[in-house]
């Protein structure tokens, strides 16, 4: 259980009320709105049994797809989905020191297993994006970057710890902690159907896709109000911890 998890995910977490049919409908609505990419993120999205089907549906709809996972373990069906054209993997990587990495993610052996999965993906020609989050003083961030490049990962973003979820250490969330790109060409749909500016801004909601179409929500009054508030409080930077492309937010 990652010490800083922005989603406050935990082993006891649930998938939420969104069904596979709900997610397929949202994917279709996103494509109709002009979305170019969909990112499946968590927690750990690979625990969702129907995720390979959702990835396949998004890819068939012409969307680029990123599966953002801890990459500790990918079931066979996930490997099949990850090998589809336009699909890539994303992960977080914290240190070239196994003990430090494992202490941050809260489980021994995770760095070795994540590293092995990255090696397999690179060998199979599956693109891998990595985010290195500077979580604590003295962390071997540069070592993590070097280790990733040795593995063949070329798309790496480094970001500071953002004060959201468990990373907030009990502080209330602040709009100023966002990168500033949120809600402009990026939105997130949470497991309960809430639409938010990005995965880090889970306390700001435009409404719910179980009640209204996605297009209605992203063009509505609440969305415009939240966009304005974010724009006033932030200065956009490409170095967002949700971004593994280096050129803007990817969720």
């Amino acid at each position: 259980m990652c010490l800083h998890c922005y989603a406050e995910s935990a082993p006891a977490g649930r998938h939420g009320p969104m069904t596979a049919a709900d997610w397929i409908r949202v994917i279709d609505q996103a494509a109709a709105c002009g979305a170019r990419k969909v990112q499946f993120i968590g927690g750990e999205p690979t625990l969702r049994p129907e995720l390979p089907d959702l990835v396949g549906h998004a890819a068939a709809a012409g969307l680029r797809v990123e599966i953002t996972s801890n990459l500790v373990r990918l079931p066979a069906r996930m490997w099949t989905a990850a090998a589809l054209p336009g699909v890539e993997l994303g992960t977080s990587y914290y240190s070239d020191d196994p003990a430090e990495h494992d202490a941050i993610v809260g489980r021994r052996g995770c760095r070795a297993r994540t590293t092995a999965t990255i090696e397999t993906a690179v060998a199979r020609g599956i693109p891998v994006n990595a985010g290195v989050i500077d979580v604590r003083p003295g962390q071997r961030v540069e070592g993590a970057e070097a280790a990733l490049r040795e593995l063949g990962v070329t798309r790496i973003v480094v970001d500071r710890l953002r004060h959201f979820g468990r990373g907030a250490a009990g502080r209330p969330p602040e709009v100023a902690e966002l990168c500033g790109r949120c809600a402009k060409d990026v939105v997130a749909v949470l497991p309960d159907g809430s639409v938010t500016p990005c995965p880090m801004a889970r306390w700001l909601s435009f409404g719910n896709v179980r009640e209204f179409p996605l297009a209605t929500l992203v063009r509505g009054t609440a969305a415009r109000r939240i966009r304005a508030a974010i724009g006033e409080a932030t200065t956009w930077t490409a170095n967002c911890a949700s971004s593994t492309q280096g050129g803007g937010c990817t969720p």
Side-chain angles (χ1 to χ4, degrees), residues 126-179:
I126 299 170
V128 178
N129 308 316
V132 180
I133 305 173
D134 192 351
V135 174
R136 60 187 190 179
Q139 183 180 330
R140 293 181 57 83
V141 170
E142 292 183 359
E145 286 188 86
L148 286 164
R149 295 194 188 283
E150 287 181 11
L151 290 169
V153 179
T154 58
R155 288 178 284 187
I156 304 168
V157 167
V158 178
D159 190 31
R160 66 174 175 83
L161 177 67
R162 305 274 173 167
H163 298 147
F164 301 119
R166 283 197 290 274
R171 287 172 289 191
E174 298 179 14
V175 172
E177 281 290 289
L178 298 170
C179 76

Side-chain angles (χ1 to χ4, degrees), residues 63-242:
L63 295 167
R64 293 171 54 219
V65 181
E66 179 173 331
I67 306 163
T68 300
S69 162
N70 58 26
L71 297 188
V72 168
R73 175 182 176 272
L74 287 188
R77 289 186 68 230
M78 282 308 317
W79 278 115
T80 301
L84 292 171
V87 178
E88 54 201 36
L89 297 174
T91 196
S92 296
Y93 206 82
Y94 300 96
S95 178
D96 60 340
D97 178 356
E100 182 173 54
H101 178 102
D102 292 352
I104 291 171
V105 301
R107 188 175 180 182
R108 292 181 62 183
C110 281
R111 183 186 178 276
R113 295 173 71 179
T114 297
T115 299
T117 302
I118 293 173
E119 290 175 331
T120 300
V122 171
R124 295 186 182 188
I126 299 170
V128 178
N129 308 316
V132 180
I133 305 173
D134 192 351
V135 174
R136 60 187 190 179
Q139 183 180 330
R140 293 181 57 83
V141 170
E142 292 183 359
E145 286 188 86
L148 286 164
R149 295 194 188 283
E150 287 181 11
L151 290 169
V153 179
T154 58
R155 288 178 284 187
I156 304 168
V157 167
V158 178
D159 190 31
R160 66 174 175 83
L161 177 67
R162 305 274 173 167
H163 298 147
F164 301 119
R166 283 197 290 274
R171 287 172 289 191
E174 298 179 14
V175 172
E177 281 290 289
L178 298 170
C179 76
R181 188 81 174 256
C182 319
K184 294 179 181 177
D185 54 4
V186 176
V187 295
V189 181
L190 305 187
D192 65 355
S194 297
V195 180
T196 71
C198 88
M200 297 218 210
R202 296 176 182 237
W203 79 100
L204 299 172
S205 177
F206 306 162
N208 195 294
V209 292
R210 299 171 70 207
E211 300 173 358
F212 300 99
L214 183 62
T216 298
L217 297 175
V218 299
R219 296 166 183 161
T221 302
R224 291 196 296 271
R225 174 175 49 79
I226 290 173
R227 281 191 200 99
I230 292 173
E232 291 173 0
T234 61
T235 300
W236 178 74
T237 170
N239 250 12
C240 172
S242 288

Side-chain angles (χ1 to χ4, degrees), residues 2-81:
C2 292
L3 301 178
H4 66 286
C5 180
Y6 297 133
E8 298 185 271
S9 180
R14 299 182 181 277
H15 296 313
M18 288 282 287
T19 66
D22 289 332
W23 286 117
I24 286 173
R25 185 178 67 254
V26 170
I27 290 168
D28 290 342
Q29 290 177 358
C33 285
R36 299 183 301 275
K37 181 176 180 179
V38 60
Q39 180 183 25
F40 295 98
I41 195 169
E44 179 49 51
T46 62
L47 295 176
R48 182 97 189 192
E50 63 268 35
L51 181 62
D53 300 322
L54 301 180
V55 171
H57 185 83
L63 295 167
R64 293 171 54 219
V65 181
E66 179 173 331
I67 306 163
T68 300
S69 162
N70 58 26
L71 297 188
V72 168
R73 175 182 176 272
L74 287 188
R77 289 186 68 230
M78 282 308 317
W79 278 115
T80 301

